[in-house]
Amino acid sequence: MDTFDNIAQYPIYFAPGCQLLQLQPTMVSDVYDYLRRLFGNKIRLYTRCCGLDDANQHDEEAVFITLCDTCFKIYGSTYANLHMRDFWDVYDEYKSIYPLGDKEDELRKALKSTLCDYTLPQKALKNWMEEWKTWSTKED
């Protein structure tokens, strides 16, 4: 894994996780604002669900910063060209420069109230999607 010193050489995406994006949009906005203070306009918000993402989307080498354990695992194991970063690791590296202050506790609480701390059963999710596709396209 490369070091923090060189992550800015690639396009940077903030992939908060679809659950957090839906359940805590204000918190996602606060974290995105924080990351924009660190990386400027170089960072972009990535809102796709890791379980339903199209494999052809990630042909460029890029850094993905995420709050979601599931996104971290799925994107990290699926795409060799993505440099995965957990938000908390990035925060630990830069908190002396830009601390979150009171928002850090709020963010940790928000994460516990969503599914971002838990791994989605990826195989079961894909099986369910295949069954749904078969059912939804079945002719009567």
Side-chain angles (χ1 to χ4, degrees), residues 47-101:
T47 59
R48 292 178 180 261
C49 173
C50 63
L52 306 173
D53 207 351
D54 180 2
N56 296 322
Q57 290 291 318
H58 308 292
D59 54 358
E60 69 178 338
E61 194 163 3
V63 173
F64 264 44
I65 299 172
T66 187
L67 288 163
C68 178
D69 290 341
T70 303
C71 290
F72 190 93
K73 289 173 186 166
I74 290 175
Y75 286 129
S77 64
T78 307
Y79 305 104
N81 56 328
L82 295 182
H83 303 269
M84 297 304 299
R85 295 289 185 265
D86 178 74
F87 170 77
W88 295 111
D89 292 339
V90 173
Y91 180 67
D92 286 343
E93 183 74 17
Y94 294 103
K95 68 182 173 186
S96 62
I97 300 167
Y98 293 118
L100 280 170

Side-chain angles (χ1 to χ4, degrees), residues 88-135:
W88 295 111
D89 292 339
V90 173
Y91 180 67
D92 286 343
E93 183 74 17
Y94 294 103
K95 68 182 173 186
S96 62
I97 300 167
Y98 293 118
L100 280 170
D102 294 340
K103 291 203 182 272
E104 181 178 347
D105 290 336
E106 290 176 36
L107 178 58
R108 289 185 191 276
K109 273 186 185 176
L111 289 174
K112 288 187 188 292
S113 73
T114 66
L115 296 177
C116 292
D117 279 344
Y118 306 103
T119 303
L120 281 174
Q122 185 180 9
K123 185 176 179 184
L125 181 63
K126 286 186 178 186
N127 289 342
W128 178 85
M129 286 299 296
E130 289 302 317
E131 286 179 30
W132 182 82
K133 284 180 191 175
T134 302
W135 173 80

